[in-house]
Every structure is written in C-alpha cells, then in structure tokens.
Amino acid sequence: MNTGARRVREWLIERAIQAAGAMAIVFVLAIFAFLLRDALPVFRETTVRDLATGRTWLPTAEPPKLGLLPLLLGSLYVTIGALLISVPLGVACAAFISEVAPRWMRETLKPAVEVLATIPSVVFGFLGLLLVGPWLAELLDLDVPLFAGLGSLMLAFMAMPMIVSLSEDAIRAVPMTLRQNSLALGATQWQTIWRVVLPAGRSGIIAAVLLGMGRAIGETMTVLMVTGNAAVIPLGLPGFLRPVRTMTATIAAEMGETAYNTPHYHALFAIGLLLFIITFAANTIADVVVRRSGRTTR
Amino acid sequence: MGMSGMDSDLIVRPEGEVKIETSGLGLFYGEFQALRDVSVTIAARRITALIGPSGCSKTSFLRCLNRMNDLISGARVVGEVLLDGRDIYHEATDVAVLRKRVGMVFQTPNPFPMSIYDNVAYGPRLHGRCSRSQLDEIVEKSLRAAALWEEVKDTLRKSALDLSGGQQQRLSIARVLAVEPEVLLRDEPCSALDPTATFRIEELMIELMTRYTIVIVTHNMYQASRVSHYAGFFLLGELVEYGPTEQIFENPKDQRTDDYVRGRFG
Amino acid sequence: MKGTQSMHRPQRLGPRATQAAAFAALWAAAALVLLPVAAILGVMFVRGGRAISWELLSSAEDGLLPSIVGTVTLVALTAVIAAPLGIAAAVYLREYAPRGPLVRLIRLAIVNLAGVPSVVYGLFGLALFVTLLGFGRCLLAGACTLALLALPLVITASEEALRQVPERLRAASFALGATRWQTVRRIVLPNALPGIITGLILSMGRAAGETAPILFTAAFIALTKPFPSSVLDPIEALPFKLYYMATEAHGITEDAKWATASVLVGLVLTINLVAVITRARLRGARRW
C-alpha cells in the first residue's frame, strides 16, 4: 500500500484542521486590527478627550463635530433600561423553569424561550415601530412614539432568552444535595431557592447578565428603528421617554452614506472599536466568572 | 412473607419515654417496595443504631422520619409515623416545622457555598428573626456543641468550602444543632472518615444524647455496639430484629442477625 | 387534630405566605417573558396573513421574490463558507487539541466572536471584503461577513455533537489500528453528523434574519437586476427589505409591511423547524 502518500495526506489534513482551530483567534485579532486601522485616522481631527466628552455629534458639519457623549449615554440609557427589565424577569423565569414549574410546563417553556431567541432583531424593531410604540405613546401621552424606554423594552425581550437559558443552566447546576440539606433544616422551598440555590448559582447568573448586557449594548436594528435617533444627551428619568441615539444605530444609519476615508468614516469606525472593546470586556469577564464558579462548586 | 413485626418477639419495645413510633410503615418507589411493614418504637434521649447490609433500606427508613422521601417523585408511604404521638404524615403537618424538629445529617457533608458563620446561622435565620447578638450566641453554641468552635472561631467569615472533610462533617452537625431539633438523624458515610474525625464525632454523639433523640444509620459495627442503646437490623427492606444493643450484638434471636453481626455477610 | 402547637404553629404562616407570594411572582415572571411577545407576534401573523398574496410573493418588480431569493442564496453561500471552517475547528478542539493555554485562548476567542455586535461585523466586512479585497457590495462580501458571524455558533454546535459520540467507539477504532484522522473521518464525523447538520441549519436561521452585517456589505433595494447571476452581484435581502419598508419607504401600504414581516419570521421559523426535523430523522436512523 501507498502508506507514504497517505501519511503525507494525513499530515496535511491535520495541519489544516489545526489551522482552522486557531482561526477564531485570528479572526478576533483581525477584527480588532481592521477596526483600529480605520479608526485611528480620526485622531488627525480630534483627540480622545474631545471624542469622549464632546457634547455634539455633527459629523457632516464643517469642521465636523465628533462628540461621542450623547451616543455613549444613549447606549447606556437603553442598555440599563433593558437590563432593569430583563434581569429580574429573566432570572425569575429561569428559577421558575428549573425549580417550580411542573414537568410538562418546563418542557414547553424551554423550547418556547428558544423560539423567542430566533426572532430577528429587525422584526422586533418593526413591531416596536408599528405596534408597541404607538400604543405606549398613547398610554403615556407622549408626542413622539419613538423613545429610549421603548428601545429598552424591546431589547429586554430580545436579551431575555439568553438570560433565561444561561441562568437556568446555572441554577440547574447547583447540586441537589444543597437543596436537600436546606429542606432538611426546615426551610421552605422558596427559602431554599432564595437563600441557597440562587446564591450558589450566583456566578453563572452574573455571567448570564454580563452576556445579556453585551448583547443589549451591541444590538443594532431594534434600537435604530425605535429610539428616534436624536443625538441629544439624555437626562434623568424623563430621558427614558425621549428619543436618543445609540452608538450602534449611529453606525448603521450613517455608514451607508459616508464617503470612504473621511473624518466621519473614521469616527464611525472609532465607535465600532469602542463597541468591540466594551463587548470584549463583558464577554471576557463573563467567561472568567463562569470558569471560576466551575472551580468552586466542585 | 409471614413475619410481621408487630406480633414478633424479635421487636422489643424500649423502656421509658417514647419519641417516635412507626406502625406498619411501608415505602414504595413506584412499583418497587423499599420498606415493608416496619413497626418500631424509638426511645427519647437515647441513641438508636440501624444496621444492615448496603441497600437494605436503612437510609430510606431514616428519610421517612423527616419526610425527605417526599422529595423523590414516585415515592409513596403507607402506615404511620408518630412523633410525640402525632402522625407526621397527617395532611395538616407543616413539613418545614417537622424537619426543624427532626434534624438530619447527611452521608456527605454539604456546606452551602457561604461563610462558616452563615452556614450555621442559615437555619435560625429561616425560622425567625434573631438579633445579631442572639445569632452570634447560637452560632458559637452550635459550633461548640459540634466540637468545631476552637478550630474555626477565628475564621468564621471564611468560606465553609475551605474546611477539611472531617470539619465539614462537624459543620453539618452544627448547622443542624443550630435549629434546635429534638431528634437527630444521622446517616453515616459508608467510607470511613479519618479515624480521628470519626472518634470526635462519636464522642460528640454521646454528649449530645443527653438532650437529643439520636438515630444513626451506620456500617461500622464496632461503633454501633459502642455508642448505641438500641439497635435494629434491617435486611431487604424489613426490620428483622430490634432491641437493646447488647442483646442484638451478643445474643440475637434471629439467625440472620446473628450471621450479620458476626460478620458472616454484608 | 386537637393539640396543634409546635408542628402546626400559626406563625409558620409567615414563610408559607411568603412562599405563596414568591411562587405567584415567579409564575407571573414566566408569563411576562413569553406572553407579550407571543401576543405581538400573533398580531403580526394575523395582519400579515390577511395581506399575503401570491402576487406579493412572486412579483419581481414590487413583490418579495427578489428579497426571498437573495436571502436564500446569501444563507446558502454563508453555510458553504462557514461549515468547513466551523466543523474543522470543532474537530480540532474536540479530537486533536491538547489541553492547555492555546485551547483556553481559542475558547475565549470563540466566546468573544459570538459576542461581537453584528454591526461591528458589518464594519469589518466593509473594511476587509468590500474595500480591501475589492469584492464591492455583493453577495460574496455579505456571505463572508455572515459566515464570520455564524462561525462561533457552528463551532459550538459541532463540538457538542462530537462530544455526544461515545468514547468507546473511538477506542474500538484505535484498537483496530486506525489513525486519529481515520477514526475522525470514518467513526466520529459520521456519528456526529445529525448534530452537526442541525447546528449548521440553526446557525443559518440566525444568519437569515441578520440585517446589520449586510447593510454595508451586500444589500440593496429595488435593483434593476433583481436576481444575482454571480457571487459578485449585489442582492436584495428580506430583513433589509423589511427595515427599508418600515422606515424609509413612502407610499407602501401597512398591509405590505405586515406581510413582509410575517414572511421573514415564517422563513426563519421554517429553517428552525427543518433543523428540528432533520435531527429527529437522522437520530432515528442512528443506532448505538
């Protein structure tokens, strides 16, 4: 048999597989490098300080005003609002599925949540724009049916499947014996959930929240369609009821009409870079938290 | 299978105050019958040891006494378990209160992932509001009673997961004592703890006996004969023989008990 | 019962009442997570269903056909690009990789790829495929961008499928003198195939609904040439069409918008359903 040729072929295949394995790292670095490459020239026009603290975003003015503060705060508002809704609801739903729901319900709820996760974000944007926004505007007596809180609400429901399913995994991973010990001490089922199960699953839940946050801050189409896109700095609680513009929406709305290699183009890449760094941090911290929890529960 | 416990002279009723009494107790896991017709009386403030080969349902019996079997789906109990003369399987029973009164220490120690202090304070916090100083007092008292205080008094805020196996075992006991149970059910680990740890826990049992009714499931014949006042021999889901410990170990009436305590099987 | 002290003390009502209230809240939370979305999707399907007509679906001028064809082509090409890369990466991680810092790093990279915002993928696609490699805004640039986005999903699903293959099958193969690659190719991959294919289809369901990555890499509206004839042609795509109809277009009836949204969700759900059926079919054929 031609074993020599076979050996060479296998060697080649295995090197190819190895290369594919390392591909993920290459891609992460490549994304970072390309964002950096097209973002850095923006500093010919402005400084980090002006970008971070500038209160006006008028990229097509002459000279362009490239203040990211309104966009940063816009993203922050929408994301925090989304987390305020989705974290308590999502964790409660996860606890319900894992600890309380009767069996048949558990088996219906999990796939239902998964189906929810498949709905495209543009559809959530569409439904917010045509259905939920007008309805809420009437209910709250608002002039404009596009506002930060609407973005938060739609995002909350989009981030929910991820938060529910990851938290549920974390809660389910809590050893049965801990529950039994708590019950044996005379705790009710709820006391056991509240005082033992949730604290024991804490790191997994925190990771779920971080990943949900990363998802919310990076979400594009929904916020683009429902938050009104006014690049103004949101203030206080009423800020939730006024239009805002997020970082993602700015890129999506403006990149299509921007000329290559203009300050505007570079500024949009700078926003992209900032988004990449924020989500990278959220994901890495979540990953570390999960790994650490894996060690302590054992 | 004939031999029902009630009319047999193999099941002796202890003298003195009675804490728990079962009659015709049976346990099913689905179709499988894990316990049949167990009728036994457990004396107050005494140590009762349950012995028998692995898989003979001693642990299942123990779990009937604080209704931990409720947590297993498909488990069904027949017969009666009386605690101070009242049926714990009565529908009006608050299972949480029952489990507070009938504490249980499991085979494997399972510290909650919190500090040593919070582990012990867990029960008292559940069962009512305590002031900070009361809690401190309960924690210290329980840890002392479990012979763990001296070792951990300076590290109460450290995670309980950092304790050694023997210490975790005693922490589990302290955690149970902190809810001030009347009965202590102990499921001995099959594998031997390290001998020093075992010895300390044995000493602890004897000390605790003056205040608690203790039921232990054990695989260690030597320990059973040394610390207990009454002993029961389980085989294949049945209570074969029950009586004063000396009688069970030195002069058993049933051949199977005799074979077992002399180490011929199991 | 007469003496009802201790075991049935009245103050036990505290924890019990708390539990009842807490459980009620948990039920409510579960209902709140699902019912509102189910309700608005229901409204969408009812309104969209009424408006869908054969005319709307099949017309190349003002109907959805170019968008549907564009999305299906885009997703197919995405799968062609993502599948070999993703499956090979999973094989490396599961069958070859030694435990160590490199694998740890790869996993971290995968987690981070999965978390990169979709619009950032769009920027990357614009910078690399459209501009630097000179593809222009076209089918190929869009598919490459989407493939990158789908890659972590494909890797994760494939790895899970490989994990399901019993270790004893590998051991038996090695015991017969097979090399690692022979074992992978003849034993592991065939047995993991149902899971891999299911994961791939599910990832494509996700890709089909993505809008932001194709905004500046592939998608156009009202093309003079509605169907692409090469991978370097621009395309129309259903999610982009819906975005455009909902926000920018004038003179489009409400009905047409609802119908488009329903078609998009219908398409995505169909892809997911296909995945589930495939899994059931292929699993049924497997015996171990």
Side-chain angles (χ1 to χ4, degrees):
Chain A
M1 279 295 289
N2 194 355
T3 50
R6 171 190 288 172
R7 205 169 289 160
V8 170
R9 214 188 54 179
E10 275 194 17
W11 187 87
L12 285 173
I13 289 172
E14 292 187 349
R15 289 296 82 69
I17 287 175
Q18 211 170 4
M23 206 60 91
I25 299 177
V26 175
F27 285 142
V28 172
L29 293 178
I31 292 174
F32 183 68
F34 273 91
L35 292 175
L36 204 61
R37 189 193 73 150
D38 280 349
L40 282 183
V42 83
F43 294 112
R44 280 186 229 133
E45 302 290 328
T46 179
T47 62
V48 173
R49 196 192 148 83
D50 287 347
L51 273 182
T53 58
R55 302 173 141 260
T56 318
W57 174 258
L58 272 176
T60 47
E62 197 55 53
K65 292 185 174 154
L66 303 173
L68 296 187
L69 198 60
L71 314 181
L72 255 167
L73 288 176
S75 281
L76 203 67
Y77 254 69
V78 173
T79 302
I80 288 177
L83 289 179
L84 285 178
I85 302 167
S86 61
V87 170
L89 270 184
V91 174
C93 182
F96 177 78
I97 291 175
S98 160
E99 306 289 311
V100 180
R103 196 196 175 89
W104 65 268
M105 232 181 144
R106 181 178 329 169
E107 273 156 26
T108 330
L109 282 176
K110 288 210 79 173
V113 170
E114 278 164 29
V115 168
L116 213 61
T118 66
I119 307 296
S121 69
V122 66
V123 173
F124 274 98
F126 172 82
L127 292 169
L129 185 67
L130 264 76
L131 194 64
V132 184
W135 180 72
L136 276 181
E138 195 168 319
L139 193 75
L140 301 171
D141 198 19
L142 301 174
D143 300 331
V144 189
L146 303 169
F147 50 100
L150 179 60
S152 298
L153 187 68
M154 302 312 288
L155 276 196
F157 281 97
M158 294 188 60
M160 207 86 82
M162 176 181 251
I163 293 179
V164 171
S165 95
L166 292 176
S167 307
E168 210 255 342
D169 289 348
I171 291 171
R172 192 200 297 275
V174 172
M176 220 20 125
T177 50
L178 286 188
R179 295 182 180 82
Q180 289 178 353
N181 273 271
S182 171
L183 292 170
L185 288 168
T188 61
Q189 206 190 339
W190 167 247
Q191 286 171 322
T192 302
I193 294 170
W194 184 247
R195 290 162 184 256
V196 173
V197 177
L198 289 180
R202 183 180 47 210
S203 26
I205 296 172
I206 291 172
V209 170
L210 279 168
L211 292 175
M213 190 200 92
R215 175 93 200 262
I217 209 163
E219 189 36 65
T220 309
M221 298 315 291
T222 309
V223 288
L224 173 65
M225 292 166 82
V226 305
T227 57
N229 295 326
V232 291
I233 292 182
L235 284 174
L237 268 185
F240 279 110
L241 297 179
R242 305 217 177 91
V244 291
R245 160 181 280 220
T246 66
M247 297 190 281
T248 51
T250 305
I251 300 174
E254 296 176 6
M255 187 49 95
E257 290 132 33
T258 309
Y260 181 62
N261 269 343
T262 56
H264 188 191
Y265 177 91
H266 298 307
L268 293 178
F269 268 88
I271 299 175
L273 183 65
L274 187 58
L275 276 170
F276 179 81
I277 292 170
I278 293 172
T279 50
F280 187 91
N283 285 300
T284 306
I285 295 170
D287 194 64
V288 169
V289 169
V290 165
R291 253 157 239 278
R292 187 165 299 157
S293 77
R295 267 207 299 279
T296 51
T297 45
R298 232 175 281 127
Chain B
M1 290 283 286
M3 208 151 2
S4 151
M6 287 303 265
D7 48 79
S8 160
D9 63 338
L10 291 173
I11 310 294
V12 177
R13 192 183 170 90
E15 290 160 12
E17 195 186 328
V18 167
K19 189 67 186 176
I20 298 174
E21 185 161 11
T22 74
S23 53
L25 181 66
L27 172 67
F28 296 82
Y29 295 127
E31 295 294 300
F32 173 71
Q33 185 164 11
L35 280 177
R36 59 184 79 225
D37 200 15
V38 178
S39 301
V40 69
T41 308
I42 290 168
R45 289 182 297 283
R46 291 289 178 271
I47 299 178
T48 302
L50 305 177
I51 58 172
S54 298
C56 67
S57 305
K58 318 179 283 290
T59 300
S60 299
F61 174 75
L62 209 61
R63 295 169 68 102
C64 285
L65 302 184
N66 69 344
R67 293 186 55 173
M68 284 305 278
N69 282 325
D70 289 14
L71 302 177
I72 299 167
S73 69
R76 187 164 54 86
V77 171
V78 299
E80 271 189 332
V81 178
L82 306 181
L83 176 66
D84 289 339
R86 270 197 295 277
D87 186 5
I88 65 169
Y89 283 90
H90 189 279
E91 57 184 23
T93 303
D94 183 330
V95 182
V97 175
L98 167 70
R99 292 186 185 139
K100 175 183 176 321
R101 294 180 60 192
V102 183
M104 182 172 218
V105 182
F106 292 79
Q107 275 198 358
T108 44
N110 268 293
F112 299 132
M114 341 169 158
S115 70
I116 296 171
Y117 184 96
D118 288 337
N119 261 278
V120 182
Y122 178 78
R125 280 178 176 148
L126 290 178
H127 297 295
R129 260 166 235 133
C130 305
S131 70
R132 186 75 216 185
S133 59
Q134 277 174 309
L135 263 187
D136 288 347
E137 201 177 306
I138 293 174
V139 170
E140 176 171 350
K141 207 175 73 181
S142 310
L143 285 169
R144 276 190 195 284
L148 190 59
W149 174 253
E150 291 303 324
E151 291 159 63
V152 301
K153 64 181 177 196
D154 300 322
T155 54
L156 290 175
R157 294 287 155 199
K158 280 183 68 180
S159 168
L161 298 170
D162 296 336
L163 295 175
S164 74
Q167 289 175 324
Q168 290 190 354
Q169 193 75 24
R170 277 176 284 149
L171 179 68
S172 306
I173 296 175
R175 198 167 64 186
V176 173
L177 296 181
V179 300
E180 297 178 335
E182 299 156 34
V183 180
L184 202 57
L185 307 176
R186 253 182 69 69
D187 197 355
E188 270 283 303
C190 314
S191 59
L193 275 174
D194 90 89
T196 347
T198 314
F199 183 69
R200 301 199 67 158
I201 288 170
E202 249 176 57
E203 280 186 316
L204 183 60
M205 289 286 112
I206 297 172
E207 256 178 69
L208 295 175
M209 188 237 345
T210 53
R211 277 172 294 146
Y212 303 93
T213 301
I214 299 178
V215 185
I216 58 175
V217 160
T218 180
H219 298 261
N220 181 339
M221 289 299 112
Y222 182 61
Q223 180 185 45
S225 67
R226 207 162 28 133
V227 303
S228 69
H229 304 91
Y230 294 94
F233 173 60
F234 275 88
L235 187 62
L236 300 171
E238 275 184 86
L239 181 62
V240 173
E241 187 165 354
Y242 179 81
T245 301
E246 313 88 79
Q247 185 197 313
I248 297 293
F249 278 88
E250 277 150 36
N251 193 17
K253 295 190 175 131
D254 189 281
Q255 187 58 43
R256 293 168 292 177
T257 315
D258 195 52
D259 288 348
Y260 183 73
V261 298
R262 285 173 202 285
R264 293 199 191 112
F265 72 95
Chain C
M1 300 266 318
K2 25 179 186 162
T4 43
Q5 9 89 297
S6 58
M7 228 192 302
H8 329 133
R9 262 177 305 183
Q11 69 252 43
R12 284 304 297 174
L13 274 172
R16 283 215 161 169
T18 317
Q19 163 150 320
F23 279 13
L26 292 185
W27 276 87
L32 269 176
V33 167
L34 289 168
L35 294 184
V37 183
I40 58 173
L41 286 175
V43 170
M44 180 192 76
F45 275 124
V46 168
R47 297 191 62 168
R50 264 195 244 126
I52 286 178
S53 62
W54 181 243
E55 173 73 27
L56 179 76
L57 288 178
S58 64
S59 160
E61 281 90 55
D62 44 26
L64 296 178
L65 193 61
S67 312
I68 296 173
V69 170
T71 286
V72 170
T73 333
L74 182 66
V75 165
L77 189 58
T78 301
V80 168
I81 300 166
L85 263 181
I87 296 170
V91 166
Y92 174 72
L93 285 172
R94 185 73 208 141
E95 306 292 327
Y96 282 94
R99 283 177 169 276
L102 177 66
V103 170
R104 174 83 187 80
L105 209 60
I106 292 176
R107 292 193 188 283
L108 188 62
I110 292 171
V111 168
N112 274 302
L113 270 185
V116 171
S118 53
V119 73
V120 173
Y121 276 110
L123 286 182
F124 177 68
L126 174 65
L128 177 60
F129 304 121
V130 177
T131 312
L132 189 73
L133 298 180
F135 295 169
R137 251 166 95 167
C138 68
L139 180 55
L140 183 61
C144 288
T145 311
L146 279 182
L148 217 52
L149 176 141
L151 195 62
L153 304 174
V154 176
I155 295 176
T156 312
S158 305
E159 222 196 321
E160 188 50 41
L162 294 172
R163 188 172 292 133
Q164 304 274 325
V165 178
E167 212 49 55
R168 63 190 155 80
L169 293 186
R170 293 185 185 84
S173 168
F174 288 132
L176 294 170
T179 64
R180 185 162 283 276
W181 168 244
Q182 286 170 324
T183 305
V184 166
R185 213 195 101 170
R186 292 169 193 278
I187 304 293
V188 180
L189 279 179
N191 279 299
L193 206 59
I196 292 177
I197 291 180
T198 308
L200 188 64
I201 300 176
L202 287 174
S203 318
M204 293 311 118
R206 164 91 190 276
E210 283 291 347
T211 316
I214 56 171
L215 274 180
F216 356 104
T217 57
F220 285 89
I221 281 301
L223 290 166
T224 43
K225 195 175 88 177
F227 302 106
S229 55
S230 103
V231 293
L232 294 176
D233 280 347
I235 51 163
E236 296 193 16
L238 210 41
F240 182 64
K241 176 101 173 176
L242 177 63
Y243 165 64
Y244 180 79
M245 288 170 87
T247 54
E248 317 229 332
H250 298 283
I252 289 180
T253 61
E254 288 267 302
D255 275 0
K257 297 179 186 174
W258 289 101
T260 307
S262 303
V263 170
L264 175 59
V265 176
L267 179 76
V268 170
L269 290 181
T270 307
I271 294 176
N272 285 293
L273 192 66
V274 168
V276 173
I277 292 171
T278 314
R279 174 165 51 196
R281 278 272 171 83
L282 294 176
R283 278 241 174 109
R286 180 177 65 188
R287 288 170 289 171
W288 68 42

